Amino acid sequence: MSVLEIRGLQVSVNTENGTVEILKGVDLTIKSGETHAIMGPNGSGKSTLAYSIAGHPKYTITGGSVTLDGADVLDMTVDERAKAGLFLAMQYPVEVPGVSVSNFLRTAATALRGEAPKLRTWVAEVKGAMEALNMDPAFAARNVNEGFSGGEKKRHEIMQLELLKPKMAILDETDSGLDVDALRIVSEGVNRAKANNDLGVLLITHYTRILKYIKPDFVHVFANGKIVEEGGPDLADKLEANGYADYVSK
Amino acid sequence: MSVLTTNYLTPTGREEAWRFTPLKRLRGLHNGSASISDRNSLVAKAALPKGVSFTRESLAPLAASDDIIIERIRGAASDVSHLAIAANVEIQEPIFLTRIAGALDSAELSRVRISLGTHAVATVIVENIGDTLLAEDLEISLAPGSSLTFVSLQEFDSKSVYTARHHAVVDKDAVFKSITVTVGGDVVRILPTVEFIAPGGSAELLGVYFATTGQFFEHRMHVDHAVPNAKSRVNFKGALAGKDAHTVWIGDVLIRAVAQGTDTYELNRNLLLTDGARADSVPNLEIETGEIVGAGHASTTGRFDDEQLFYLMSRGISLENARRLVVRGFFNEIITEIGNEEVQERLMERIDGELERAGA
């Protein structure tokens, strides 16, 4: 049983116009097996929350804490956070020219497992993960995210989620840019990871449609850098009907 | 042992061709003060296949040169190490030439010829290794319809000084591809040059270089489109790490008035891995006719992409390994063109080692 605890998290970024505070005190607790949806309008700070937890150097933590099973996440380097069990599925996965998907996955698995996976079982593992996400086997030889379609990038992210087996996953707008079929396939991948690894999920989204496939236990409405309302799955239905207008105007 | 005559002009460093080169570190190759040995270090690594010979012969130069060191070599050495691939011979496996018996206290003046008969097909890999003082006039002759992949590996130890011209003369419909790799030595200065002597030929000059602390690597292309309908591509990628690592890439492409239907593009990309290193990149396209298919150039110099490192590290990969992956990936595009796994992996490991040594 793992617990990711976010307490009073405040984050700012440096821009041309000086320092801008984006997160204004976020409190959130996610336990293994739970799925929390964070919903909010564009620019509310949802992605900043995701990248701050993962340790992107662009963001400066100005207050609060993030712990995973009591360990101080904010004190860890980016790779240490991954080793501690955190995973971020990115909205815009980065191209790494000249590095093949298979080399990348094996390097990551080696780093996270502490030893290189046995070649024979590893090949089968990767093949299985790709088949489960309807991915062409030729994909493994392509360079990481280079020339991938939007849907391929998201499948590649979820394939990593399944292979690397984190404790807590943050999915940053994984649904954006996916057609209905791809959304279903990607969602099934997340649900498998939940079922197989008792994964805790922080699902960041603008729209409610992914929640038809990945059922949240809790829904948090995010606006202006903090959580402004919390509830169960029915809160998503309310947002579907009314939009974010109530929260933005506050 | 003899001492070079000084009948030729000695470069001062003010000349365009020499303005980047640290002349003082050339150990006297440029001004005739180096003592000359009769070393002849280039040997075939294995038995040669049928239709291939490697002999010492007296040969006149294929093409004139305005490089002062090449002139000195020609003035002193008439014998040429000649690798000849007979007409219509097609060889799948690469032919390896390698170096024996280098030395730093005296200079070897080397003349090499690689010649392909009509419609011959071959890959030649030259391994330049050890610590040595070496000036080389390497000429390549491609008869009509022949095809050569020429791989030149500068895997020298840290004190070597190597100055060379690798000049290809490309006849009708011949295909020349070169991959120049420079990862070792103190000073390496190579002039990869091409001249087309009949229409329909193509030349692809690829290269990678990785200079670390104090190393100077210069690659100075010259592609002469003197006939119609020839195609050329240049793509060199370099990385630099450590104080006073310095690389120079010059891409001179000349499209003469008669060279209608020319198709050319040249590209140089540099990755600065630390502060204190310097990459000079000078594309230079001279076009004397507008009746061409295409002509272009690009040059970029950048640093580690933080987003790439973040992405890799967010999957548990350490900063050190993430950098290694990015650098390997950067070079991969060119290195895989060699087409020999063993050589490719050896070079990648050398690159890993250089990266580690430079502490980047």
Side-chain angles (χ1 to χ4, degrees):
Chain A
M1 176 66 147
S2 287
V3 184
L4 179 68
E5 265 195 293
I6 302 161
R7 287 286 167 271
L9 188 65
Q10 292 172 284
V11 173
S12 64
V13 288
N14 291 318
T15 69
E16 287 167 5
N17 304 320
T19 303
V20 178
E21 189 182 27
I22 298 184
L23 298 188
K24 298 166 181 170
V26 177
D27 293 291
L28 192 60
T29 302
I30 303 164
K31 294 176 182 155
S32 292
E34 292 180 354
T35 297
H36 294 246
I38 292 210
M39 307 193 62
N42 289 327
S44 58
K46 303 187 301 291
S47 286
T48 298
L49 176 64
Y51 279 85
S52 300
I53 297 168
H56 194 286
K58 183 176 153 190
Y59 301 99
T60 308
I61 312 294
T62 54
S65 67
V66 178
T67 59
L68 179 62
D69 299 331
D72 184 357
V73 169
L74 299 179
D75 196 37
M76 299 177 192
T77 57
V78 175
D79 56 319
E80 284 167 353
R81 295 178 198 211
K83 284 177 184 149
L86 290 173
F87 181 88
L88 170 61
M90 296 191 198
Q91 187 182 359
Y92 302 109
V94 183
E95 292 182 8
V96 191
V99 177
S100 69
V101 166
S102 66
N103 184 15
F104 163 63
L105 292 175
R106 193 167 158 79
T107 307
T110 302
L112 289 173
R113 297 175 190 183
E115 59 176 354
K118 296 262 184 302
L119 203 54
R120 247 182 65 199
T121 52
W122 173 248
V123 169
E125 214 181 322
V126 172
K127 193 162 166 276
M130 287 176 64
E131 276 170 6
L133 288 160
N134 269 15
M135 293 163 83
D136 184 339
F139 201 85
R142 291 171 66 184
N143 291 336
V144 173
N145 293 318
E146 207 175 47
F148 287 17
S149 69
E152 285 172 334
K153 284 182 181 170
K154 297 300 171 68
R155 285 176 205 217
H156 181 226
E157 294 293 284
I158 300 309
M159 176 173 69
Q160 293 170 53
L161 172 68
E162 289 198 72
L163 279 172
L164 302 178
K165 300 180 173 55
K167 295 174 183 160
M168 294 285 164
I170 303 162
L171 310 181
D172 187 15
E173 307 213 11
T174 294
D175 51 340
S176 70
L178 293 183
D179 62 29
V180 178
D181 291 331
L183 181 63
R184 182 181 50 78
I185 289 165
V186 160
S187 299
E188 284 168 4
V190 175
N191 289 332
R192 274 194 303 273
K194 281 173 63 175
N196 295 337
N197 308 323
D198 202 23
L199 181 70
V201 175
L202 182 59
L203 178 67
I204 293 175
T205 183
H206 184 77
Y207 301 104
T208 52
R209 62 173 193 159
I210 194 172
L211 304 182
K212 293 189 177 72
Y213 300 95
I214 304 172
K215 298 287 179 201
D217 304 300
F218 305 93
V219 174
H220 311 265
V221 181
F222 210 77
N224 194 25
K226 53 181 191 259
I227 292 168
V228 291
E229 187 168 352
E230 297 180 284
D234 51 328
L235 180 52
D237 300 332
K238 192 179 138 199
L239 289 170
E240 177 75 25
N242 302 341
Y244 296 115
D246 289 354
Y247 306 105
V248 177
S249 57
K250 273 180 192 171
Chain B
M1 294 257 185
S2 65
V3 170
L4 271 178
T5 52
T6 51
N7 297 336
Y8 305 100
L9 287 171
T10 297
T12 62
R14 287 188 294 275
E15 301 80 1
E16 169 54 36
W18 293 99
R19 68 188 173 107
F20 294 105
T21 317
L23 296 173
K24 283 179 184 156
R25 286 160 61 188
L26 288 178
R27 293 176 180 255
L29 286 180
H30 66 298
N31 61 15
S33 66
S35 68
I36 304 306
S37 85
D38 54 5
R39 284 200 305 279
N40 173 30
S41 65
L42 194 64
V43 296
K45 209 172 176 180
L48 294 169
K50 198 163 169 279
V52 180
S53 63
F54 189 51
T55 53
R56 292 285 284 175
E57 300 169 36
S58 179
L59 292 172
L62 268 185
S65 166
D66 58 4
D67 182 82
I68 208 71
I69 297 180
I70 297 301
E71 287 305 301
R72 288 182 191 283
I73 297 168
R74 290 176 177 181
S78 61
D79 275 0
V80 178
S81 297
H82 183 194
L83 181 75
I85 295 136
N88 301 312
V89 169
E90 288 190 26
I91 298 156
Q92 300 299 325
E93 292 298 307
I95 300 162
F96 279 89
L97 302 180
T98 194
R99 297 283 176 185
I100 53 166
L104 289 165
D105 56 359
S106 61
E108 175 182 356
L109 304 183
S110 166
R111 285 185 65 201
V112 178
R113 177 79 49 89
I114 298 170
S115 61
L116 280 82
T118 51
H119 300 289
V121 178
T123 296
V124 175
I125 300 181
V126 178
E127 300 171 333
N128 286 322
I129 54 174
D131 258 334
T132 193
L133 178 55
L134 176 62
E136 188 156 72
D137 172 18
L138 190 152
E139 292 186 302
I140 299 166
S141 154
L142 289 99
S146 65
S147 173
L148 174 68
T149 299
F150 169 66
V151 181
S152 163
L153 305 175
Q154 282 57 243
E155 297 175 89
F156 292 116
D157 292 339
S158 62
K159 296 192 181 81
S160 285
V161 175
Y162 179 60
T163 69
R165 186 172 82 142
H166 298 167
H167 184 74
V169 177
V170 181
D171 208 331
K172 186 172 167 44
D173 299 332
V175 177
F176 177 62
K177 174 172 165 181
S178 73
I179 300 147
T180 304
V181 178
T182 301
V183 291
D186 177 41
V187 175
V188 173
R189 181 178 191 269
I190 299 174
L191 317 177
T193 55
V194 174
E195 69 180 284
F196 294 100
I197 56 170
S202 80
E204 189 177 10
L205 305 182
L206 306 175
V208 300
Y209 49 84
F210 186 4
T212 54
T213 310
Q215 289 177 315
F216 176 85
F217 297 157
E218 175 171 359
H219 297 89
R220 186 175 277 269
M221 315 312 107
H222 188 272
V223 179
D224 188 350
H225 282 272
V227 296
N229 302 322
K231 178 178 172 178
S232 65
R233 291 287 182 272
V234 176
N235 185 4
F236 269 63
K237 292 177 118 175
L240 299 91
K243 190 173 180 301
D244 297 328
H246 186 186
T247 64
V248 176
W249 177 87
I250 310 285
D252 287 334
V253 176
L254 171 60
I255 304 172
R256 294 182 192 261
V258 295
Q260 294 179 357
T262 291
D263 180 4
T264 181
Y265 194 83
E266 52 171 346
L267 175 64
N268 176 226
R269 292 185 62 198
N270 291 296
L271 193 54
L272 283 169
L273 303 178
T274 66
D275 289 334
R278 172 178 161 177
D280 287 292
S281 179
V282 187
N284 184 19
L285 192 52
E286 205 173 320
I287 306 176
E288 295 174 355
T289 173
E291 302 296 311
I292 58 172
V293 175
H297 62 73
S299 166
T300 63
T301 297
R303 292 176 179 276
F304 269 125
D305 182 337
D306 283 342
E307 298 298 330
Q308 286 178 2
L309 296 178
F310 173 73
Y311 186 73
L312 295 170
M313 290 178 73
S314 77
R315 286 2 180 191
I317 298 168
S318 67
L319 178 60
E320 189 189 359
N321 283 336
R323 284 179 164 163
R324 194 177 301 160
L325 268 185
V326 169
V327 170
R328 275 183 169 235
F330 177 71
F331 284 133
N332 197 41
E333 176 197 359
I334 308 271
I335 296 282
T336 50
E337 292 287 324
I338 294 172
N340 181 293
E341 295 271 346
E342 196 183 323
V343 169
Q344 289 168 201
E345 193 44 41
R346 186 175 85 200
L347 292 171
M348 283 301 189
E349 278 169 18
R350 175 76 179 247
I351 286 163
D352 287 349
E354 297 287 326
L355 191 62
E356 203 168 316
R357 226 163 40 88

